[in-house]
Amino acid sequence: MSVHASNVTKPVDAMNPESLPDATHEDAAKGLSAIVDHSASTSNVTHNIHAPIHTLINAHWVQSLIPGIEKLAVNYHCGNYVIVRGSNEPFFETMPLYARLGMHLLFYGKEQVKVLGNKRVDELLREQSVKQGKIYDDPKSVESIPSFIEAYSIQVDELLEPDISKYRNFNEFFFRKLRPDARPIQNEHDKNVICSAADCRLTVFVSVDVAKAFWVKGRGFSIPNLLNLPATSPIIESFQDASLAIFRLAPADYHRFHCPIDCEVGDFENVTGHFYTVNPQAVNEPGFDVLTANTRSILYLKHIPTGKLVAYVAIGALLVGSIQWTGGKQKGTILKRGDELGYFAYGGSTIVIVFPKEIVEFDADLVSNSEKPIETLVKVGYSIGKVLAPATEN
């Protein structure tokens, strides 16, 4: 299906309903909780939190929990356009049920005191995220792996361990490892090249102002808020007019994240926050802060060829149980492009990499897509840009 640029300039649904047709906030809250519980009792992932919103027309188990959800699925585009790199044809990626409910609870209560019964919305989302993590850590959850592979067309032949009976729970499969040759580094011998940090939907911006013009609409989005630092910090001064790369991981993606540059590991910080959905419809919502409000881990990397500091921000999200670092927390460690840094437990999530001003020139196709705006589907190791300050050979 051909989609003209004018049809993808708003990645959010321009007809976003003010509410679910026949449901209250309480219905949505109870529905989200019940659907998370339901994921513990069914092995078919398309009958629980993973259910694509467009499949709910005949899903009576959901309709009984959330009145009117099927009308939402019929009348509104509950998903996002994404373009596969190297293609000119955007495809429509359907939103999972849990992301739609999470956004409903946030968007349509954001101007109010967000209280549902005796719980605030942010407390509810945190509670459900922790609960879902525990469900998928349970050995019984392995029963969901076959339907997950089928629903999301997972390429089992890429896996380091292709025998799915060897995984001890669903989460272990979710943050599965790939064969060493499954994600080769493009232009590996060119030290000026920057590579993708994840299998993801990518947007890139030459500056924060450009990112806010096209993509990140939260009023509170800024580099100091993202990095949890005062505006007067020397680190923040080094990131004036910084360039950004935003890597969004969907549930189907390989969920280990990697190093985009040759670097030396620097300081590390965990920032406690919320568990809001990081779906583009949330990031693009005017006045709503996601990237600077969520739980996140920040790792500073010294880019070896230029000596410049780069900030690598792993951001948690709705139903993401945890952010785990496997190769990047030891200060002074030397890393190469493509080296593993860590993984997300269950759920889609996001990485934001902050580059100092004028250190990186992003690839033209990524810039063009981001300014439409539309995300580009890329994989770990793909070239996403080059360093403007030339690297020198050792």
Side-chain angles (χ1 to χ4, degrees):
M1 178 182 67
S2 178
V3 180
H4 191 271
S6 63
N7 294 327
V8 295
T9 52
K10 292 186 178 181
V12 300
D13 180 5
M15 299 183 295
N16 235 342
E18 285 304 312
S19 65
L20 289 166
D22 303 306
T24 66
H25 270 71
E26 292 289 345
D27 290 326
K30 291 175 183 176
L32 178 63
S33 180
I35 289 163
V36 169
D37 290 339
H38 188 65
S39 70
S41 60
T42 178
S43 62
N44 189 338
V45 299
T46 61
H47 290 176
N48 58 33
I49 58 174
H50 297 279
I53 198 76
H54 74 276
T55 66
L56 301 179
I57 297 172
N58 299 312
H60 301 295
W61 65 277
V62 177
Q63 294 173 25
S64 64
L65 295 171
I66 312 154
I69 189 75
E70 75 285 358
K71 297 178 185 177
L72 183 73
V74 170
N75 294 329
Y76 298 95
H77 294 300
C78 293
N80 313 284
Y81 281 105
V82 179
I83 192 163
V84 177
R85 194 166 197 188
S87 165
N88 293 319
E89 294 294 320
F91 69 93
F92 190 74
E93 184 178 75
T94 303
M95 187 186 304
L97 174 59
Y98 73 85
R100 174 67 250 184
L101 291 179
M103 286 193 296
H104 173 77
L105 289 169
L106 292 170
F107 292 174
Y108 311 121
K110 69 179 186 221
E111 302 302 332
Q112 310 160 13
V113 177
K114 295 192 280 288
V115 176
L116 299 162
N118 62 354
K119 278 195 180 73
R120 288 175 54 86
V121 169
D122 50 11
E123 292 173 350
L124 171 74
L125 298 181
R126 178 184 297 275
E127 177 186 89
Q128 298 309 312
S129 298
V130 171
K131 185 196 301 183
Q132 188 63 63
K134 291 179 179 178
I135 289 170
Y136 280 153
D137 280 339
D138 190 309
K140 186 175 182 293
S141 65
V142 296
E143 297 172 6
S144 296
I145 295 175
S147 65
F148 185 82
I149 290 172
E150 182 179 1
Y152 287 108
S153 302
I154 305 298
Q155 293 180 260
V156 178
D157 60 351
E158 290 186 336
L159 306 187
L160 183 63
E161 178 49 81
D163 183 353
I164 62 174
S165 68
K166 299 289 182 64
Y167 294 92
R168 294 173 295 180
N169 54 51
F170 180 87
N171 245 339
E172 193 170 272
F173 178 80
F174 187 76
F175 50 74
R176 56 198 175 272
K177 290 189 173 185
L178 301 185
R179 297 193 328 263
D181 61 347
R183 295 292 184 271
I185 306 302
Q186 289 185 344
N187 305 309
E188 183 178 6
H189 300 295
D190 185 348
K191 294 185 178 181
N192 290 315
V193 170
I194 296 169
C195 71
S196 176
D199 284 14
C200 65
R201 294 104 186 91
L202 175 65
T203 49
V204 297
F205 304 99
V206 69
S207 71
V208 173
D209 287 344
V210 174
K212 294 178 76 168
F214 287 103
W215 196 255
V216 185
K217 300 301 182 181
R219 285 189 293 267
F221 181 77
S222 68
I223 299 303
N225 287 344
L226 179 68
L227 301 183
N228 197 42
L229 290 171
T232 55
S233 166
I235 291 176
I236 296 302
E237 289 182 17
S238 71
F239 287 125
Q240 293 295 324
D241 299 318
S243 300
L244 301 175
I246 303 175
F247 307 78
R248 178 178 68 90
L249 287 70
D253 289 324
Y254 162 65
H255 261 66
R256 290 179 181 259
F257 46 85
H258 295 250
C259 192
I261 56 176
D262 295 342
C263 62
E264 178 182 339
V265 172
D267 293 329
F268 174 85
E269 181 185 7
N270 279 320
V271 180
T272 301
H274 301 295
F275 286 86
Y276 300 150
T277 174
V278 293
N279 188 278
Q281 293 189 22
V283 176
N284 303 148
E285 179 73 6
F288 186 74
D289 294 304
V290 174
L291 302 181
T292 55
N294 277 17
T295 291
R296 55 201 184 278
S297 289
I298 303 161
L299 182 66
Y300 293 97
L301 305 172
K302 181 181 177 182
H303 184 226
I304 290 174
T306 64
K308 300 287 188 179
L309 199 64
V310 171
Y312 192 110
V313 186
I315 301 175
L318 179 60
L319 302 192
V320 174
S322 62
I323 302 166
Q324 297 290 334
W325 295 86
T326 59
K329 284 181 68 175
Q330 187 65 43
K331 192 170 181 178
T333 300
I334 301 299
L335 298 173
K336 294 181 179 179
R337 282 168 296 157
D339 285 351
E340 182 183 306
L341 283 175
Y343 62 83
F344 294 108
Y346 179 71
S349 199
T350 290
I351 296 157
V352 178
I353 299 182
V354 185
F355 295 95
K357 179 182 179 181
E358 297 179 350
I359 189 180
V360 59
E361 180 181 73
F362 292 119
D363 290 346
D365 63 321
L366 301 175
V367 173
S368 176
N369 289 343
S370 300
E371 290 181 352
K372 287 181 180 178
I374 187 171
E375 296 170 306
T376 305
L377 192 68
V378 301
K379 294 184 181 295
V380 171
Y382 279 20
S383 168
I384 66 169
K386 63 182 180 181
V387 177
L388 290 176
T392 57
E393 296 294 331
N394 293 330

